[in-house]
């Protein structure tokens, strides 16, 4: 019989071979449907999201969600390999999405298959393979939340070296506009919007919020895009810039936005207020399982679908976040085995 590790690795090679850019995941979702059909597991689909429930699902029991995403970013321009050709070389499985988040996804699927036929579990087990994570799109996990059974807590599969992120920073992207007045660059005319933006940009660079999270540290603000002017001899009337704000549990996004608007002259418009910081109580059984098993716990600076899951959750999985979105992305085949083993060890402490 094919082992869980072999099933997971073989499934990952199938997933890598299918382009699954965000909002273009139709084919890869069909691959997952076919996989579950072959495993004799009834699956559900909405858009490009697939979910399954354990064989002895009992509505009277609480439910744990295993979630990861099957969409990918587009290949890094520095790729020297075919991103859609899965190859194992020196124990590394190469391919776009192998590390982020194919490895965690197939490890969670293998974990689900381990529990699928078991009776007398304390918790139901639901697995969801979801779309649009890489763009924080609305057609991903939040689009199926009302279709899922009531979820009591979740494990979100992302490459964390199988360490457990018990908290995660939120994300608020700001589009800012500094106003000036057009004029001829050769004369003392107009008001240069770039110069008007500079004090605000400096504030974003240097301001330190007084409240610092115990699990997530300080809030981080980064000006990441600036656009102004159309020709060299015209003083620009507007300077547009974008700010990446990594939020913590010490402030709501509404509070942060209010503070920012009090300190800068620029017009400030948030793209979204959806990606909020998340976390889980230290006394939660998942966290206590990690303590017992000696699994390192930390607060994550990066965002994931955790931000969109309105229930206690942790983020963990095989692979290394440093490899995500990199050229010639890969995951070690043995990391997939470690991921399956770690998920099962943690869940055994909670649901058996």
């Amino acid at each position: 019989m094919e082992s869980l590790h072999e099933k997971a690795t073989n499934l990952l090679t199938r997933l890598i071979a299918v382009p699954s850019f965000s909002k273009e995941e139709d084919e890869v979702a069909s691959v997952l449907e076919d996989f579950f059909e072959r495993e004799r597991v009834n699956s559900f689909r909405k858009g490009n999201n697939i979910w399954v429930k354990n064989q002895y699902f009992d509505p009277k029991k609480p439910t744990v969600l295993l979630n990861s995403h099957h969409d990918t970013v587009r290949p890094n321009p520095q790729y020297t390999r075919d991103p859609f050709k899965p190859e194992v070389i020196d124990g590394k499985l190469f391919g776009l999405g192998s590390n982020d988040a194919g490895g965690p996804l197939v490890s969670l699927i293998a974990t689900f298959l381990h529990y699928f036929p078991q009776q007398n579990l304390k918790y139901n087990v639901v697995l969801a393979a979801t779309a649009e994570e890489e763009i924080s799109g609305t057609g991903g996990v939040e689009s199926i939340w009302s279709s899922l059974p009531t979820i009591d807590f979740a494990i979100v599969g992302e490459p964390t070296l199988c360490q457990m992120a018990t908290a995660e920073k939120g994300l608020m992207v700001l589009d800012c506009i500094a106003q000036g007045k057009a004029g001829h660059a050769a004369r003392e005319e107009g008001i240069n919007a770039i110069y008007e933006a500079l004090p605000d940009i400096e504030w974003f660079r240097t301001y330190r919020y007084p409240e610092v999270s115990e699990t997530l540290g300080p809030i981080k603000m980064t000006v990441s895009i600036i656009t102004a002017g159309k020709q060299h001899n015209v003083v620009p009337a507007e300077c547009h810039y974008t700010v990446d704000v990594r939020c913590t549990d010490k402030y709501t996004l509404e509070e942060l936005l209010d503070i920012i608007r009090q300190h800068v002259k620029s017009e400030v418009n948030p793209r979204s207020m959806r990606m909020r910081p998340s976390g889980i109580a230290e006394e939660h059984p998942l966290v206590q399982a990690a303590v017992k098993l000696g699994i390192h716990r930390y607060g994550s600076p990066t965002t994931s679908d955790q931000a969109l899951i309105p229930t206690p959750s942790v983020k963990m999985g095989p692979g290394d976040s440093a490899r995500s979105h990199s050229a010639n992305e890969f995951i070690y085949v043995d990391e997939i085995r470690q991921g399956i083993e770690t998920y099962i060890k943690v869940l055994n402490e909670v649901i058996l």
Side-chain angles (χ1 to χ4, degrees), residues 36-81:
F36 286 118
E37 183 178 353
R38 291 170 183 266
E39 293 294 323
R40 298 182 181 179
V41 176
N42 185 42
S43 65
F44 304 86
R45 178 168 182 167
K46 181 178 180 181
N48 293 328
N49 303 284
I50 306 295
W51 68 97
V52 289
K53 301 188 292 187
N54 60 302
Q55 184 175 356
Y56 295 100
F57 183 92
D58 183 349
K60 297 188 291 295
K61 291 182 179 180
T63 299
V64 55
L65 173 68
L66 310 180
N67 167 248
S68 191
H69 66 94
H70 53 61
D71 64 316
T72 72
V73 296
R74 294 185 180 275
N76 185 304
Q78 296 181 327
Y79 257 89
T80 60
R81 314 176 63 87

Side-chain angles (χ1 to χ4, degrees), residues 178-200:
Q179 298 288 350
K181 183 179 179 181
H184 199 296
R187 297 187 291 270
E188 293 297 323
E189 292 180 351
I191 299 172
N192 194 316
I194 295 175
Y195 300 157
E196 293 296 299
L198 287 177
D200 290 350

